[in-house]
């Protein structure tokens, strides 16, 4: 199960959330992910090892402009997140 | 390092309300390493440096973002919408880029054909109108077509960026006439973007009188990108100066450079 492998990249999640009935399913950069209930966007970024200052996030097609609000944004079932950054290009 | 012409030799290079130091702008794609990229960009003397917006690789199999390697105090970071095929996509990418918090400038690209990467000019005009109304400074990549360029100017682009030849082709300036026509008719700056393969292409392009030139592959895909970046810097300056100097007329007959009078025995 690819999802089981991916769950392990969330170091803050101590339980195998996929087997928890309360696990929250969301889509991050086009991939299905499962997170523990109550996680905020700031928690998710920390779990992914991402520096909030270096990424831009779209939450359900709405761009989040205030990085300070990440810590109070509780992620919900079915949320769609796009996390982008700058790469080399012409 | 002489990255700009002496003020007395060139006019200020202004786009929108901002003056830029160098008429050569460069991309950050296709380098074999970040070290090579930063060395090449430094050698190019460019101030405006383009970057692309992409999804973060959550599994970290690819390199991290490019911002670690580009000092925003030294370079003017210009986000592009490369890879977008609809105006909606391009608008979405432009908004994401602006949310990153650098500036309100965007190099708008809406591609219309996968094989040639030629622009969808109609979609680009639509996106320009929307983004300009949102306060973006739109630098619009387009074909070497006068009417399309005029429409982009009307739609609110702060500069228009016709191609020399297709993106990444290295074919050089295919239609100097079209580029001159665009430069002659537009009131906003004209920056030639894409297709430059080597230094002579850059010089020839600047000799058409355009305001600037943007390139990526021409430097990054050279065998020695750092050396080529230096060559491009010199060529862009040389072409610009040659344009301002005004070339001599072409004649199909020879005219001696030395006096014909005073020859011995005549």
């Amino acid at each position: 199960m690819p999802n089981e492998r991916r769950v392990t990249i969330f170091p803050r999640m101590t339980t195998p959330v996929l087997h928890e009935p309360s696990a929250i399913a969301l889509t991050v950069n086009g991939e299905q992910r499962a997170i523990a209930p109550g996680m905020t966007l700031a928690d998710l970024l920390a779990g992914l090892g991402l520096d909030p200052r270096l990424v831009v996030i779209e939450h359900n097609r709405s761009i989040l402009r205030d990085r300070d609000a990440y810590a109070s944004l509780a992620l919900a079932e079915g949320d769609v997140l796009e996390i982008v950054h700058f790469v080399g290009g012409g | 390092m002489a990255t700009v012409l002496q003020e007395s030799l060139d006019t200020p290079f202004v786009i929108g309300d901002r003056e830029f130091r160098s008429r050569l702008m460069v991309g950050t794609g296709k380098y074999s390493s970040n070290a090579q990229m930063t060395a090449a960009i430094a050698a190019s003397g460019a101030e405006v440096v383009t970057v692309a917006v992409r999804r973060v690789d959550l599994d970290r199999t690819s390199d991290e973002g490019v911002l670690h390697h580009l000092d925003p105090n030294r370079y003017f970071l210009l986000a592009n919408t490369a890879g977008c095929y609809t105006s909606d996509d391009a608008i979405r990418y432009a908004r994401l880029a602006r949310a990153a918090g650098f500036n309100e400038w965007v190099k708008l690209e809406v591609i219309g054909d996968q094989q040639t990467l030629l622009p969808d000019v109609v979609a680009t005009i639509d996106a320009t109108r929307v983004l300009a109304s949102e306060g973006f400074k739109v630098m619009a990549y387009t074909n070497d077509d006068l009417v399309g360029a005029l429409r982009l100017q009307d739609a609110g682009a702060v500069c228009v960026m016709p191609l020399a030849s297709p993106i990444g082709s290295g074919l050089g300036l295919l239609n100097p006439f079209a580029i001159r026509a665009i430069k002659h008719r537009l009131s906003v700056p004209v920056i030639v973007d894409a297709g430059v393969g080597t230094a002579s292409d850059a010089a020839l392009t600047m000799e058409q009188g355009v305001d600037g030139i943007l390139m990526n592959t021409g430097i990054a895909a050279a065998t020695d990108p750092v050396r080529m970046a230096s060559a491009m810097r010199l060529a862009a300056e040389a072409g610009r100066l040659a344009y301002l100097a005004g070339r001599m007329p072409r004649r199909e007959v020879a005219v001696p450079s030395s006096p014909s009078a005073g020859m011995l025995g005549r």
Side-chain angles (χ1 to χ4, degrees):
Chain A
M1 282 283 290
N3 278 344
E4 284 176 344
R5 177 180 63 81
R6 289 196 179 113
V7 160
T8 61
I9 70 162
F10 297 101
R12 289 191 173 184
M13 296 197 309
T14 53
T15 53
V17 291
L18 270 188
H19 306 296
E20 295 283 328
S22 58
I24 287 172
L26 37 77
T27 306
V28 185
N29 286 4
E31 296 177 6
Q32 292 297 312
R33 301 265 170 168
I35 59 164
M39 274 183 85
T40 66
L41 181 55
D43 295 334
L44 178 72
L45 290 181
L48 291 166
L50 294 174
D51 183 342
R53 293 167 301 175
L54 295 177
V55 299
V56 179
I57 300 176
E58 224 186 49
H59 178 237
N60 299 332
R61 288 298 292 234
S62 163
I63 295 170
L64 305 178
R65 293 175 198 283
D66 179 11
R67 289 185 172 85
D68 294 337
Y70 292 178
S72 56
L73 197 157
L75 296 169
E77 179 76 21
D79 275 357
V80 178
L81 291 166
E82 292 288 351
I83 306 175
V84 301
H85 65 161
F86 289 112
V87 300
Chain B
M1 190 167 53
T3 56
V4 273
L5 299 175
Q6 292 171 39
E7 224 168 285
S8 58
L9 293 182
D10 198 355
T11 51
F13 176 35
V14 178
I15 308 174
D17 54 5
R18 195 180 197 287
E19 183 172 342
F20 293 94
R21 292 192 303 270
S22 172
R23 293 179 183 273
L24 174 60
M25 308 178 176
V26 297
T28 53
K30 300 187 189 172
Y31 286 97
S32 60
S33 70
N34 284 315
Q36 187 189 60
M37 175 192 75
T38 50
I41 291 172
S44 76
E47 175 183 12
V48 176
V49 172
T50 62
V51 292
V53 177
R54 289 293 181 272
R55 280 173 167 166
V56 170
D57 177 10
L58 300 178
D59 295 326
R60 295 296 196 289
T61 49
S62 67
D63 206 0
E64 58 190 6
V66 78
L67 292 186
H68 289 293
H69 309 283
L70 296 170
D71 178 3
N73 296 316
R74 180 171 177 189
Y75 297 113
F76 185 85
L77 298 175
L78 175 63
N80 69 26
T81 63
C84 292
Y85 279 81
T86 66
S87 53
D88 283 349
D89 263 359
I91 291 165
R92 184 183 184 190
Y93 274 71
R95 288 171 178 160
L96 280 167
R98 182 160 70 171
F102 298 111
N103 54 57
E104 71 279 21
W105 295 65
V106 63
K107 195 194 108 175
L108 179 65
E109 282 182 37
V110 187
I111 302 302
D113 177 66
Q114 268 181 326
Q115 284 223 319
T116 60
L117 298 179
L118 288 173
D120 183 333
V121 179
V122 174
T124 308
I125 294 166
D126 289 343
T128 297
R129 199 172 288 120
V130 172
L131 291 171
S133 74
E134 293 179 11
F136 279 91
K137 302 268 176 42
V138 179
M139 302 173 67
Y141 169 68
T142 187
N143 223 321
D144 57 354
D145 170 68
L146 172 63
V147 178
L150 286 167
R151 296 290 178 273
L152 286 165
Q153 176 177 272
D154 292 345
V158 293
C159 79
V160 173
M161 310 182 84
L163 52 78
S165 50
I167 294 170
S169 70
L171 290 173
L173 183 60
L174 294 183
N175 195 339
F177 162 77
I179 296 297
R180 280 197 304 276
I182 291 170
K183 176 57 198 166
H184 184 63
R185 292 285 299 280
L186 267 63
S187 52
V188 297
V190 174
I191 316 285
V192 169
D193 178 9
V196 170
T198 189
S200 54
D201 296 338
L204 185 63
T205 299
M206 291 304 292
E207 283 175 21
Q208 309 311 310
V210 297
D211 301 274
I213 188 167
L214 193 155
M215 63 183 74
N216 186 345
T217 312
I219 296 173
T223 306
D224 182 344
V226 178
R227 223 176 225 132
M228 185 59 87
S230 299
M232 292 297 191
R233 169 174 58 82
L234 295 168
E237 289 181 9
R240 174 67 183 169
L241 273 185
Y243 165 73
L244 292 172
R247 61 154 296 143
M248 63 163 282
R250 286 184 172 83
R251 295 190 193 97
E252 301 242 329
V253 290
V255 180
S257 306
S258 306
S260 44
M263 298 292 290
L264 298 181
R266 287 191 192 168

